Every structure is written in structure tokens, then in C-alpha cells.
Amino acid sequence: MTKTVKCPQCGKTVQWVPESKYRPFCSERCKLIDFGAWAKEEHSIPGEPAFDDLMSQELDDTPTRH
Ligand SMILES: [Zn+2]
């Protein structure tokens, strides 16, 4: 009996076998999407929303500055 898991990204059933090299994701794409989301979360420091607000505000105030 093969163990199966659900892809955390799209919910597709993935067989937990060595052949499923992106497990628990169903594909490389889903794996990359999840990694991207993780990296994004890592970028913003939890508990310091003020920092994030400052950043976006600064971007809004200087839209043409490069
Ligand atoms: Zn998937």
C-alpha cells in the first residue's frame, strides 16, 4: 500500500514514493510556488508591521524615483 499525501499547494494527491521527487508537492511548480511564499514571509518581519507600512508608504511617495 502506497502512502499518499495532498499537495500543500493545490491539494492534488501525491504518492509518497521516491519517484515523486517533489513530494509533498505534486510538481516542481507547486514546490516553487510554496517556496516563494515562504521567502516572502521571511522577508517581512512578524510583529513589526510598522516597518512594512513605512516601506510601502515610501514607495507610494516616490513613484517615479528610481
Ligand atoms: Zn500541486
Side-chain angles (χ1 to χ4, degrees), residues 9-22:
Q9 195 55 239
C10 70
K12 193 175 161 185
T13 302
V14 183
Q15 293 200 339
W16 195 268
V17 291
E19 284 74 24
S20 304
K21 56 190 230 176
Y22 301 115

Side-chain angles (χ1 to χ4, degrees), residues 7 9-12 25-27 30:
C7 172
Q9 195 55 239
C10 70
K12 193 175 161 185
F25 302 97
C26 68
S27 63
C30 280

